[in-house]
Amino acid sequence: MSTELDLGWFDPSLGAVQRREASGVGTGLSRAVAERLAVDVVLVRVVFVVLAMCSGLGVGLYAWGTALTRGPQGSRPIDRWLPGFHDWSALAQKTLVIASTIALMFTIGAAFPLPWGAGVLMLIVLALWSRRSRSAAAPGQPPSAADRYPTSALPTTLSPAHPVDDQALVEHWRRSITEAVGTHRAAVPVPQLPEVDLYADAQEEPLLPPAPRPRSSWLGGLAVLAAMIAAAAIAGIMLGASATVTLAVGTAVGGLGAVLFALVARSRRLPRLVLALVALPMVAIGWLAAQAPLPVVGPDTRVVQVTAEDAVVDLGELDLRGYDTVRIEAVASNVDVILPGPVLQVETVENLASDVTDLSEPVHPSITPLQLKVEISAQASNVTIKDAP
């Protein structure tokens, strides 16, 4: 028995979604989902991008969503990539989807320091909302046939004094059932069945009118932006968080506000300008997280990392016993490096319009420098090298 798994597994309203011809670089999945849910396609794309920043969760969901939906030609990509997939059991298909998505998240999470908890939390919230909507939309159980037509209303015996043949018996029961149904016709109206002429010329089915386009809500957009700014101000000013954490908090609040607005106000949509402003800091966070180098500490190398902040790195305050190399990695930061004295060598690597300024005094031939090598890697950063006062 074949089972065709589609997006209805996550939400019944997304069952049998079909993608149209894609006009951009995507597969048309976001537009198909947006049309089915009657929301702006930009909002669906923002959700996928937000989840993509969560250890690649959005990448896995988008790939499987595309693979399980039919394209403009009416076929599913998964049936071409994995023939016989629809013959698997529903449990086996769901297991493959979940396992491959988790494996992708672990792979991307190991390569890039991207968070994953926020995406999983958002996915759980969407799943709970879908389940609640499904339960609210479930119709009530119809009355049983025994309740509609009690057995006592039907004749159960024939008079033994007048035996009849089989044909007469059938006619008797048919008349009795007709009379019984007639007594309930007023209470249980029977809909008129449509008449179909099999020999008539085929007629084209009338096209359904397009769904009305949701109107933009600038008031809701301003509320989302205000919540973002307030959350970032609390994290950055009151709690003293770094620039990366401040951006992350503001972006998380903005993304959550946009999703909640879409779930609550189905007849309205956020303006595209507001959605772009919500996504802008998310792109910055993704770039910072991807550019931040992984801590690689060798047996003789001390690594100091500075990301999106103003900092002073005083080498004289570091415990450098057992190290002969100090590597300072700066990403989108302003860093002052204080040397404890003349060092053996200073090497710099500048990327993405970085500027490294060496204000230290040259080593006098009569002075023996410290047996210490300083390596500075700057990405979109300003680094100043100074001598200790």
Side-chain angles (χ1 to χ4, degrees), residues 25-319:
V25 296
T27 62
L29 178 64
S30 298
R31 184 170 299 278
V33 172
E35 291 177 352
R36 179 61 64 88
L37 298 179
V39 297
D40 193 349
V41 63
V42 179
L43 178 61
V44 179
R45 290 169 179 165
V46 167
V47 171
F48 275 120
V49 173
V50 171
L51 293 178
M53 295 298 176
C54 302
S55 291
L57 177 59
V59 177
L61 295 179
Y62 192 89
W64 272 114
T66 301
L68 296 177
T69 54
R70 297 186 179 276
Q73 293 77 21
S75 60
R76 301 190 309 168
I78 189 63
D79 295 329
R80 298 195 306 268
W81 304 337
L82 190 61
F85 179 77
H86 61 279
D87 293 329
W88 296 11
S89 64
L91 179 60
Q93 296 182 38
K94 295 176 182 178
T95 301
L96 178 61
V97 172
I98 296 175
S100 60
T101 304
I102 293 177
L104 178 65
M105 291 179 61
F106 272 105
T107 302
I108 297 180
F112 304 99
L114 297 176
W116 58 269
V120 175
L121 180 61
M122 182 184 295
L123 198 61
I124 293 175
V125 171
L126 293 175
L128 292 178
W129 170 80
S130 175
R131 182 182 296 273
R132 181 178 179 182
S133 301
R134 190 185 317 170
S135 300
Q141 295 294 333
S144 63
D147 295 334
R148 285 185 176 183
Y149 309 109
T151 308
S152 59
L154 300 177
T156 57
T157 60
L158 293 173
S159 174
H162 302 281
V164 294
D165 56 8
D166 293 342
Q167 184 65 28
L169 182 62
V170 170
E171 291 296 334
H172 171 77
W173 279 106
R174 181 180 299 172
R175 184 169 55 255
S176 301
I177 293 175
T178 302
E179 293 175 357
V181 173
T183 59
H184 294 271
R185 189 175 299 277
V188 185
V190 179
Q192 183 67 30
L193 296 178
E195 296 182 358
V196 179
D197 188 357
L198 299 179
Y199 299 96
D201 296 335
Q203 298 180 357
E204 296 183 357
E205 297 183 359
L207 297 177
L208 296 177
R213 184 181 181 85
R215 293 184 298 173
S216 299
S217 175
W218 285 100
L219 182 61
L222 292 177
V224 172
L225 293 179
M228 286 182 60
I229 297 174
I234 293 175
I237 300 176
M238 300 181 61
L239 301 181
S242 63
T244 304
V245 176
T246 301
L247 282 174
V249 172
T251 304
V253 172
L256 183 60
V259 172
L260 292 178
F261 181 86
L263 298 180
V264 174
R266 301 296 295 272
S267 60
R268 294 295 185 95
R269 67 180 182 89
L270 292 177
R272 296 188 176 183
L273 178 60
V274 174
L275 294 176
L277 294 176
V278 172
L280 185 61
M282 177 180 55
V283 175
I285 294 175
W287 180 83
L288 288 175
Q291 294 297 321
L294 296 176
V296 179
V297 180
D300 301 326
T301 302
R302 175 73 181 269
V303 178
V304 179
Q305 296 180 344
V306 182
T307 303
E309 61 177 317
D310 297 333
V312 176
V313 180
D314 191 346
L315 300 185
E317 298 179 356
L318 299 179
D319 185 6

